[in-house]
Amino acid sequence: MGRFSGKTAVITGSGRRKGLGEAIALRLAREGANIVISDIGKAAEPATPAEHIGATDEMEAIAGDIRKAGVAASTKVCDVRDLEQMRALARHAVDTHGSLDIWVNNAGIGYIMKPLLDVTADDWRAVIDVNLTGCFFGIKAAAELMVKAGKGGRIVNIASQAAKSGFPHAQAYTSSKHGLVGLVRSAAIELGAHAITVNNVCPNHVTTGLGAWQNEYFSKVVGAVSVEAYLEAMAGRIPLKRPGKPEDTANAVAFLCSDEAEYITAESMNVSGGEEPH
Ligand SMILES: NC(=O)c1ccc[n+]([C@@H]2O[C@H](COP(=O)([O-])OP(=O)(O)OC[C@H]3O[C@@H](n4cnc5c(N)ncnc54)[C@H](O)[C@@H]3O)[C@@H](O)[C@H]2O)c1
């Protein structure tokens, strides 16, 4: 029996290998949670190119790994920009696994990066749609069923260090993640009466698939240095002397989803080795 035995967790954007979503799913499964792996499943248009998304075969492979932990796992394709798809995802958890207890808004895009003067209106909207509106839709879809069930719940957004500090070439990304700080503060007030907590986890850099793309972009385009030199400089300025690992974020999510965190809500918790102090 683990801390999450008998509970069901939905993790959006968890269908990509090496991603934070995969690590969170595996972590919650190891402690007994039944898992719904959800992702967009296929490239849709320029905002979700094939090389950056969790495809359906990848989603199934991750669900297969999770079943090896001895829990139930299912997959459900869902575009977080569509409220009705998010509601269907929440219903899928209840219909397939019997309840919806934990919802992690992890889906995000961080590969539309440009100098401010080159950003188009479509670039801006594409990032806000996934990273901020997608989290709002997730909170709403999850809370609708959690309130109805009357057993409380846990909602966690994967925000970022970019929820607290600015970054060049990332106006929309930084704004979307800062927006999540306000979103949890507001949602937590209304959902507290239902024993539903709503928090953000704010990781600094992690070399996931997205993180590896960002290493290339920031080292070459912004810094004009090698990826190795860029990563070395990054590690040097982090008090704990290394970038984040997917497990660091997964550990923080597991804590916020546990009974031990029942009195913690509206928080934006840094997981940054001390790099982000506020
Ligand atoms: N890697 C980092 O350094 C880092 C740091 C801080 C925060 N984050 C955040 O963590 C989260 C996960 O990032 P990651 O690094 O694991 O990247 P990733 O690319 O591995 O995962 C992101 C997932 O989101 C999915 N996605 C994109 N658009 C979607 C949509 N419309 N609907 C459903 N799913 C969609 C992708 O298919 C992908 O599987 C993101 O929100 C990201 O902003 C990452």
Side-chain angles (χ1 to χ4, degrees):
M1 291 287 282
R3 282 197 290 186
F4 304 119
S5 291
K7 299 197 169 181
T8 301
V10 171
I11 302 109
T12 68
S14 55
R16 194 171 181 205
R17 287 292 191 192
K18 295 196 205 159
L20 300 184
E22 178 191 39
I24 293 162
L26 285 165
R27 178 72 165 79
L28 297 178
R30 272 212 317 274
E31 295 201 62
N34 298 320
I35 301 290
V36 180
I37 295 293
S38 181
D39 213 303
I40 194 165
K42 65 175 167 53
E45 78 264 26
T48 52
E51 69 270 27
H52 285 295
I53 59 124
T56 46
D57 54 347
E58 222 170 346
M59 293 166 63
E60 291 301 337
I62 292 171
D65 285 353
I66 284 167
R67 287 184 199 108
K68 289 180 197 149
V71 299
S74 60
T75 59
K76 178 83 176 160
V77 167
C78 174
D79 185 333
V80 300
R81 297 169 294 182
D82 183 333
L83 177 58
E84 288 316 313
Q85 289 189 40
M86 292 290 254
R87 285 179 161 142
L89 175 60
R91 282 197 303 275
H92 164 90
V94 177
D95 294 346
T96 309
H97 302 290
S99 65
L100 173 60
D101 308 283
I102 294 167
W103 183 285
V104 183
N105 285 312
N106 167 75
I109 59 174
Y111 44 77
I112 301 180
M113 298 212 163
K114 292 178 184 173
L116 184 147
L117 297 182
D118 295 343
V119 174
T120 66
D122 285 347
D123 293 334
W124 173 269
R125 290 196 184 100
V127 177
I128 299 293
D129 268 2
V130 177
N131 293 9
L132 182 56
T133 308
C135 285
F136 173 66
F137 287 169
I139 291 171
K140 183 171 165 59
E144 284 172 354
L145 294 194
M146 287 174 177
V147 168
K148 201 167 149 204
K151 295 187 299 159
R154 297 279 186 268
I155 301 175
V156 180
N157 304 319
I158 307 307
S160 170
Q161 183 177 16
K164 308 280 186 79
S165 288
F167 288 87
H169 295 211
Q171 298 78 22
Y173 187 82
T174 304
S175 301
S176 70
K177 299 296 187 178
H178 273 67
L180 295 177
V181 175
L183 178 57
V184 301
R185 288 177 179 164
S186 181
I189 294 170
E190 292 189 45
L191 296 176
H194 302 280
I196 299 167
T197 66
V198 194
N199 293 292
N200 292 321
V201 169
C202 303
N204 65 340
H205 177 75
V206 187
T207 301
T208 58
L210 170 64
W213 183 91
Q214 290 176 341
N215 291 342
E216 289 277 333
Y217 184 85
F218 279 108
S219 59
K220 297 201 171 116
V221 181
V222 183
V225 293
S226 68
V227 171
E228 294 72 27
Y230 170 76
L231 286 172
E232 203 179 320
M234 180 193 291
R237 67 175 177 264
I238 297 170
L240 289 175
K241 298 297 167 208
R242 67 164 174 84
K245 296 187 277 193
E247 296 74 24
D248 298 319
T249 294
N251 288 339
V253 172
F255 169 65
L256 289 171
C257 292
S258 72
D259 288 347
E260 286 83 357
E262 70 173 7
Y263 199 55
I264 299 173
T265 194
E267 290 293 340
S268 295
M269 180 199 275
N270 297 324
V271 180
S272 73
E275 187 181 17
E276 184 61 55
H278 66 284

